Amino acid sequence: MPQKFNRRSVVKSLGIAATGITGTAALSGTVSAFAEGEQVEATTNLNTRKRPGTESSVVATVSPGEVGEIVNGPTNEDGYTWWGIHWLNRDVWGWSVERYLTSSGGSAGTDIVWPMNGVISSDYGWRTINGQDEFHGGVDIDNNNIGVGTPIYAARAGTAYTAYDSGGYGNYVYIDHGNGYETEYGHLNSFAVSDGQQVSRGDKIGGMGNSGNSTGPHLHFGIEQNNDPKPIPSDNYQNVSALGAINKDYSGL
């Protein structure tokens, strides 16, 4: 793991607060479709409103497949069940109707999500490079459609730091998630965070690049606990979507 610079102890912020959301608590005596912190996707072009109700102003219209996290609800208004949602890619809070939402399988409690749209070009584990066997402690993600500058998002809430490693990751961000856990984002061409900045899952932290010891534009994404790489389930040529859940429960988060 490359040497890290400018690290300092700060208070961790690992949850997503329902800041700016006004509404009622979960309805008593009902079975809820979702839970606080659960990730959901829009199934259609979906209005999210300032408050529950069809007369409330629209703060954003999200597209099918966009991912958000439940931060409040449910509550009934105008014959619909409404949930308070933080839409992650666009960093918008609002209320949307339950019938147009589906679970994406993610949870704010333990899950780490994919940080970029793209395809796995090299997965976790042993690999052979120029005839030499080496251990790859993360995954490489390419995006040839957008290329350099493809947005990179925080895979989980925590405290972000920036660093440079000329012989390895180049420009990279690492995020401290507490309990010894970190995620690492290497070979960036730009930073969108500063040292010690608190970030939420889905915040943009940089752009994909080709800095450091790199074979071409891509993102190196790693997960570590106490400086030991943790397995990331994936397959070469697997397509991944930014903020889609990784199928692994990293205990301790």
Side-chain angles (χ1 to χ4, degrees):
M1 178 178 176
Q3 181 182 4
K4 296 178 174 127
F5 304 95
N6 300 321
R7 186 164 186 172
R8 55 188 181 271
S9 177
V10 294
V11 176
K12 309 301 190 298
S13 175
L14 297 182
I16 294 181
T19 306
I21 297 291
T22 303
T24 61
L27 300 170
S28 61
T30 63
V31 177
S32 296
F34 309 114
E36 184 176 346
E38 183 173 355
Q39 289 185 359
V40 294
E41 295 181 8
T43 61
T44 186
N45 290 319
L46 178 60
N47 288 334
T48 189
R49 297 179 181 272
K50 186 174 182 179
R51 295 180 177 83
T54 56
E55 299 302 315
S56 181
S57 59
V58 174
V59 295
T61 301
V62 298
S63 302
E66 285 199 54
V67 175
E69 286 183 352
I70 299 292
V71 295
N72 208 339
T75 185
N76 285 342
E77 189 69 35
D78 295 335
Y80 297 99
T81 300
W82 300 78
W83 291 89
I85 301 173
H86 174 208
W87 295 102
L88 297 173
N89 272 345
R90 58 182 72 209
D91 197 23
V92 165
W93 281 261
W95 290 84
S96 294
V97 173
E98 178 181 287
R99 70 170 61 179
Y100 304 116
L101 301 170
T102 187
S103 176
S104 68
S107 165
T110 57
D111 287 352
I112 295 174
V113 298
W114 294 111
M116 191 183 93
N117 290 316
V119 61
I120 303 294
S121 57
S122 184
D123 58 7
Y124 178 95
W126 287 96
R127 63 183 183 179
T128 301
I129 302 292
N130 296 325
Q132 299 293 319
D133 291 337
E134 67 173 26
F135 183 77
H136 190 216
V139 298
D140 292 342
I141 309 174
D142 291 352
N143 189 323
N144 293 325
N145 292 327
I146 300 177
V148 171
T150 298
I152 309 299
Y153 304 102
R156 197 179 193 276
T159 307
Y161 300 89
T162 65
Y164 179 71
D165 173 31
S166 61
Y169 290 169
N171 297 314
Y172 72 100
V173 169
Y174 62 98
I175 301 177
D176 185 346
H177 306 290
N179 291 330
Y181 274 96
E182 294 180 352
T183 50
E184 300 168 341
Y185 313 78
H187 308 302
L188 305 184
N189 83 320
S190 61
F191 296 125
V193 292
S194 56
D195 284 344
Q197 181 176 332
Q198 300 294 311
V199 295
S200 297
R201 186 199 322 266
D203 285 352
K204 183 178 177 181
I205 60 173
M208 186 185 78
N210 192 32
S211 60
N213 184 9
S214 173
T215 57
H218 72 282
L219 172 72
H220 173 88
F221 174 59
I223 301 170
E224 293 191 356
Q225 185 181 29
N226 299 323
N227 294 326
D228 290 328
K230 306 299 287 184
I232 302 175
S234 65
D235 295 304
N236 284 335
Y237 312 117
Q238 173 187 342
N239 288 302
V240 297
S241 297
L243 309 183
I246 296 174
N247 296 321
K248 173 74 174 178
D249 178 12
Y250 294 91
S251 59
L253 272 176

